[in-house]
PDB file of all heavy atoms in Angstrom:
ATOM      1  N   LEU M 204     -49.149 -44.416  36.902  1.00 92.00           N
ATOM      2  CA  LEU M 204     -48.127 -43.378  36.756  1.00 92.00           C
ATOM      3  C   LEU M 204     -48.559 -42.102  37.449  1.00 92.00           C
ATOM      4  O   LEU M 204     -47.753 -41.430  38.125  1.00 92.00           O
ATOM      5  CB  LEU M 204     -47.848 -43.118  35.271  1.00 92.00           C
ATOM      6  CG  LEU M 204     -46.850 -41.993  34.982  1.00 92.00           C
ATOM      7  CD1 LEU M 204     -45.495 -42.267  35.629  1.00 92.00           C
ATOM      8  CD2 LEU M 204     -46.705 -41.759  33.496  1.00 92.00           C
ATOM      9  N   THR M 205     -49.807 -41.737  37.283  1.00 95.00           N
ATOM     10  CA  THR M 205     -50.309 -40.527  37.925  1.00 95.00           C
ATOM     11  C   THR M 205     -50.210 -40.635  39.437  1.00 95.00           C
ATOM     12  O   THR M 205     -49.823 -39.687  40.121  1.00 95.00           O
ATOM     13  CB  THR M 205     -51.776 -40.276  37.527  1.00 95.00           C
ATOM     14  OG1 THR M 205     -51.920 -40.454  36.130  1.00 95.00           O
ATOM     15  CG2 THR M 205     -52.199 -38.863  37.888  1.00 95.00           C
ATOM     16  N   THR M 206     -50.549 -41.806  39.970  1.00 95.00           N
ATOM     17  CA  THR M 206     -50.463 -42.016  41.414  1.00 95.00           C
ATOM     18  C   THR M 206     -49.035 -41.879  41.898  1.00 95.00           C
ATOM     19  O   THR M 206     -48.770 -41.238  42.918  1.00 95.00           O
ATOM     20  CB  THR M 206     -51.011 -43.412  41.776  1.00 95.00           C
ATOM     21  OG1 THR M 206     -52.380 -43.500  41.374  1.00 95.00           O
ATOM     22  CG2 THR M 206     -50.905 -43.659  43.270  1.00 95.00           C
ATOM     23  N   ALA M 207     -48.093 -42.470  41.174  1.00 95.00           N
ATOM     24  CA  ALA M 207     -46.688 -42.386  41.577  1.00 95.00           C
ATOM     25  C   ALA M 207     -46.193 -40.942  41.572  1.00 95.00           C
ATOM     26  O   ALA M 207     -45.491 -40.505  42.498  1.00 95.00           O
ATOM     27  CB  ALA M 207     -45.832 -43.240  40.637  1.00 95.00           C
ATOM     28  N   LEU M 208     -46.564 -40.182  40.564  1.00 96.00           N
ATOM     29  CA  LEU M 208     -46.131 -38.781  40.490  1.00 96.00           C
ATOM     30  C   LEU M 208     -46.811 -37.941  41.563  1.00 96.00           C
ATOM     31  O   LEU M 208     -46.189 -37.050  42.153  1.00 96.00           O
ATOM     32  CB  LEU M 208     -46.441 -38.224  39.103  1.00 96.00           C
ATOM     33  CG  LEU M 208     -45.577 -38.784  37.964  1.00 96.00           C
ATOM     34  CD1 LEU M 208     -46.150 -38.413  36.610  1.00 96.00           C
ATOM     35  CD2 LEU M 208     -44.138 -38.281  38.093  1.00 96.00           C
ATOM     36  N   ALA M 209     -48.089 -38.225  41.833  1.00 96.00           N
ATOM     37  CA  ALA M 209     -48.786 -37.495  42.884  1.00 96.00           C
ATOM     38  C   ALA M 209     -48.168 -37.779  44.249  1.00 96.00           C
ATOM     39  O   ALA M 209     -48.035 -36.878  45.086  1.00 96.00           O
ATOM     40  CB  ALA M 209     -50.270 -37.871  42.887  1.00 96.00           C
ATOM     41  N   LEU M 210     -47.769 -39.019  44.482  1.00 96.00           N
ATOM     42  CA  LEU M 210     -47.117 -39.359  45.744  1.00 96.00           C
ATOM     43  C   LEU M 210     -45.736 -38.698  45.842  1.00 96.00           C
ATOM     44  O   LEU M 210     -45.307 -38.301  46.930  1.00 96.00           O
ATOM     45  CB  LEU M 210     -46.993 -40.872  45.877  1.00 96.00           C
ATOM     46  CG  LEU M 210     -48.312 -41.627  46.099  1.00 96.00           C
ATOM     47  CD1 LEU M 210     -48.073 -43.132  46.102  1.00 96.00           C
ATOM     48  CD2 LEU M 210     -48.972 -41.185  47.402  1.00 96.00           C
ATOM     49  N   SER M 211     -45.051 -38.582  44.721  1.00 96.00           N
ATOM     50  CA  SER M 211     -43.774 -37.862  44.712  1.00 96.00           C
ATOM     51  C   SER M 211     -43.979 -36.396  45.064  1.00 96.00           C
ATOM     52  O   SER M 211     -43.196 -35.799  45.812  1.00 96.00           O
ATOM     53  CB  SER M 211     -43.128 -37.988  43.324  1.00 96.00           C
ATOM     54  OG  SER M 211     -41.950 -37.202  43.244  1.00 96.00           O
ATOM     55  N   TYR M 212     -45.048 -35.822  44.527  1.00 97.00           N
ATOM     56  CA  TYR M 212     -45.416 -34.439  44.875  1.00 97.00           C
ATOM     57  C   TYR M 212     -45.648 -34.304  46.374  1.00 97.00           C
ATOM     58  O   TYR M 212     -45.100 -33.408  47.030  1.00 97.00           O
ATOM     59  CB  TYR M 212     -46.671 -34.055  44.093  1.00 97.00           C
ATOM     60  CG  TYR M 212     -47.472 -32.924  44.684  1.00 97.00           C
ATOM     61  CD1 TYR M 212     -46.967 -31.633  44.703  1.00 97.00           C
ATOM     62  CD2 TYR M 212     -48.746 -33.153  45.211  1.00 97.00           C
ATOM     63  CE1 TYR M 212     -47.715 -30.589  45.245  1.00 97.00           C
ATOM     64  CE2 TYR M 212     -49.492 -32.127  45.743  1.00 97.00           C
ATOM     65  CZ  TYR M 212     -48.966 -30.844  45.765  1.00 97.00           C
ATOM     66  OH  TYR M 212     -49.698 -29.806  46.304  1.00 97.00           O
ATOM     67  N   ALA M 213     -46.440 -35.208  46.938  1.00 97.00           N
ATOM     68  CA  ALA M 213     -46.741 -35.143  48.362  1.00 97.00           C
ATOM     69  C   ALA M 213     -45.481 -35.352  49.200  1.00 97.00           C
ATOM     70  O   ALA M 213     -45.262 -34.659  50.202  1.00 97.00           O
ATOM     71  CB  ALA M 213     -47.792 -36.193  48.722  1.00 97.00           C
ATOM     72  N   ALA M 214     -44.638 -36.303  48.790  1.00 95.00           N
ATOM     73  CA  ALA M 214     -43.426 -36.589  49.550  1.00 95.00           C
ATOM     74  C   ALA M 214     -42.468 -35.403  49.551  1.00 95.00           C
ATOM     75  O   ALA M 214     -41.758 -35.164  50.532  1.00 95.00           O
ATOM     76  CB  ALA M 214     -42.736 -37.818  48.965  1.00 95.00           C
ATOM     77  N   THR M 215     -42.448 -34.643  48.465  1.00 96.00           N
ATOM     78  CA  THR M 215     -41.554 -33.482  48.390  1.00 96.00           C
ATOM     79  C   THR M 215     -41.995 -32.372  49.328  1.00 96.00           C
ATOM     80  O   THR M 215     -41.165 -31.736  49.982  1.00 96.00           O
ATOM     81  CB  THR M 215     -41.505 -32.943  46.949  1.00 96.00           C
ATOM     82  OG1 THR M 215     -41.068 -33.983  46.071  1.00 96.00           O
ATOM     83  CG2 THR M 215     -40.556 -31.762  46.832  1.00 96.00           C
ATOM     84  N   ALA M 216     -43.296 -32.152  49.428  1.00 96.00           N
ATOM     85  CA  ALA M 216     -43.790 -30.981  50.164  1.00 96.00           C
ATOM     86  C   ALA M 216     -44.224 -31.272  51.592  1.00 96.00           C
ATOM     87  O   ALA M 216     -44.085 -30.403  52.462  1.00 96.00           O
ATOM     88  CB  ALA M 216     -44.967 -30.370  49.396  1.00 96.00           C
ATOM     89  N   ALA M 217     -44.741 -32.454  51.867  1.00 96.00           N
ATOM     90  CA  ALA M 217     -45.454 -32.681  53.129  1.00 96.00           C
ATOM     91  C   ALA M 217     -44.570 -32.551  54.363  1.00 96.00           C
ATOM     92  O   ALA M 217     -44.923 -31.858  55.331  1.00 96.00           O
ATOM     93  CB  ALA M 217     -46.125 -34.055  53.099  1.00 96.00           C
ATOM     94  N   ARG M 218     -43.430 -33.231  54.380  1.00 96.00           N
ATOM     95  CA  ARG M 218     -42.607 -33.214  55.591  1.00 96.00           C
ATOM     96  C   ARG M 218     -42.108 -31.811  55.941  1.00 96.00           C
ATOM     97  O   ARG M 218     -42.201 -31.400  57.102  1.00 96.00           O
ATOM     98  CB  ARG M 218     -41.433 -34.188  55.461  1.00 96.00           C
ATOM     99  CG  ARG M 218     -40.561 -34.242  56.718  1.00 96.00           C
ATOM    100  CD  ARG M 218     -39.446 -35.244  56.597  1.00 96.00           C
ATOM    101  NE  ARG M 218     -39.962 -36.608  56.553  1.00 96.00           N
ATOM    102  CZ  ARG M 218     -39.186 -37.688  56.494  1.00 96.00           C
ATOM    103  NH1 ARG M 218     -37.867 -37.553  56.435  1.00 96.00           N
ATOM    104  NH2 ARG M 218     -39.718 -38.892  56.480  1.00 96.00           N
ATOM    105  N   PRO M 219     -41.586 -31.028  54.971  1.00 97.00           N
ATOM    106  CA  PRO M 219     -41.182 -29.660  55.329  1.00 97.00           C
ATOM    107  C   PRO M 219     -42.339 -28.801  55.838  1.00 97.00           C
ATOM    108  O   PRO M 219     -42.156 -27.986  56.740  1.00 97.00           O
ATOM    109  CB  PRO M 219     -40.616 -29.106  54.010  1.00 97.00           C
ATOM    110  CG  PRO M 219     -40.157 -30.311  53.276  1.00 97.00           C
ATOM    111  CD  PRO M 219     -41.167 -31.374  53.601  1.00 97.00           C
ATOM    112  N   TYR M 220     -43.533 -28.983  55.267  1.00 97.00           N
ATOM    113  CA  TYR M 220     -44.697 -28.255  55.786  1.00 97.00           C
ATOM    114  C   TYR M 220     -44.972 -28.654  57.233  1.00 97.00           C
ATOM    115  O   TYR M 220     -45.277 -27.805  58.080  1.00 97.00           O
ATOM    116  CB  TYR M 220     -45.935 -28.552  54.942  1.00 97.00           C
ATOM    117  CG  TYR M 220     -46.000 -27.856  53.611  1.00 97.00           C
ATOM    118  CD1 TYR M 220     -46.738 -28.408  52.560  1.00 97.00           C
ATOM    119  CD2 TYR M 220     -45.347 -26.648  53.386  1.00 97.00           C
ATOM    120  CE1 TYR M 220     -46.822 -27.772  51.330  1.00 97.00           C
ATOM    121  CE2 TYR M 220     -45.422 -26.020  52.158  1.00 97.00           C
ATOM    122  CZ  TYR M 220     -46.159 -26.588  51.133  1.00 97.00           C
ATOM    123  OH  TYR M 220     -46.239 -25.961  49.909  1.00 97.00           O
ATOM    124  N   LEU M 221     -44.888 -29.953  57.522  1.00 96.00           N
ATOM    125  CA  LEU M 221     -45.135 -30.427  58.883  1.00 96.00           C
ATOM    126  C   LEU M 221     -44.115 -29.843  59.853  1.00 96.00           C
ATOM    127  O   LEU M 221     -44.474 -29.364  60.932  1.00 96.00           O
ATOM    128  CB  LEU M 221     -45.095 -31.957  58.914  1.00 96.00           C
ATOM    129  CG  LEU M 221     -45.286 -32.597  60.294  1.00 96.00           C
ATOM    130  CD1 LEU M 221     -46.644 -32.214  60.877  1.00 96.00           C
ATOM    131  CD2 LEU M 221     -45.146 -34.112  60.197  1.00 96.00           C
ATOM    132  N   HIS M 222     -42.848 -29.853  59.473  1.00 96.00           N
ATOM    133  CA  HIS M 222     -41.806 -29.297  60.336  1.00 96.00           C
ATOM    134  C   HIS M 222     -42.037 -27.808  60.586  1.00 96.00           C
ATOM    135  O   HIS M 222     -41.866 -27.321  61.705  1.00 96.00           O
ATOM    136  CB  HIS M 222     -40.431 -29.517  59.708  1.00 96.00           C
ATOM    137  CG  HIS M 222     -39.994 -30.954  59.720  1.00 96.00           C
ATOM    138  ND1 HIS M 222     -38.898 -31.402  59.007  1.00 96.00           N
ATOM    139  CD2 HIS M 222     -40.500 -32.045  60.348  1.00 96.00           C
ATOM    140  CE1 HIS M 222     -38.756 -32.701  59.194  1.00 96.00           C
ATOM    141  NE2 HIS M 222     -39.713 -33.115  59.993  1.00 96.00           N
ATOM    142  N   ALA M 223     -42.438 -27.088  59.536  1.00 96.00           N
ATOM    143  CA  ALA M 223     -42.682 -25.645  59.692  1.00 96.00           C
ATOM    144  C   ALA M 223     -43.899 -25.376  60.556  1.00 96.00           C
ATOM    145  O   ALA M 223     -43.961 -24.349  61.253  1.00 96.00           O
ATOM    146  CB  ALA M 223     -42.861 -24.993  58.323  1.00 96.00           C
ATOM    147  N   SER M 224     -44.872 -26.267  60.533  1.00 95.00           N
ATOM    148  CA  SER M 224     -46.045 -26.073  61.390  1.00 95.00           C
ATOM    149  C   SER M 224     -45.701 -26.337  62.854  1.00 95.00           C
ATOM    150  O   SER M 224     -46.261 -25.701  63.754  1.00 95.00           O
ATOM    151  CB  SER M 224     -47.188 -26.984  60.939  1.00 95.00           C
ATOM    152  OG  SER M 224     -46.866 -28.344  61.145  1.00 95.00           O
ATOM    153  N   LEU M 225     -44.785 -27.277  63.110  1.00 95.00           N
ATOM    154  CA  LEU M 225     -44.365 -27.566  64.478  1.00 95.00           C
ATOM    155  C   LEU M 225     -43.440 -26.491  65.029  1.00 95.00           C
ATOM    156  O   LEU M 225     -43.428 -26.215  66.234  1.00 95.00           O
ATOM    157  CB  LEU M 225     -43.675 -28.934  64.535  1.00 95.00           C
ATOM    158  CG  LEU M 225     -44.561 -30.139  64.207  1.00 95.00           C
ATOM    159  CD1 LEU M 225     -43.718 -31.409  64.142  1.00 95.00           C
ATOM    160  CD2 LEU M 225     -45.676 -30.283  65.230  1.00 95.00           C
TER     161      LEU M 225
END
Side-chain angles (χ1 to χ4, degrees):
L204 177 59
T205 314
T206 300
L208 290 168
L210 290 175
S211 175
Y212 158 68
T215 302
R218 182 178 293 182
Y220 284 154
L221 178 60
H222 290 169
S224 66
L225 295 173

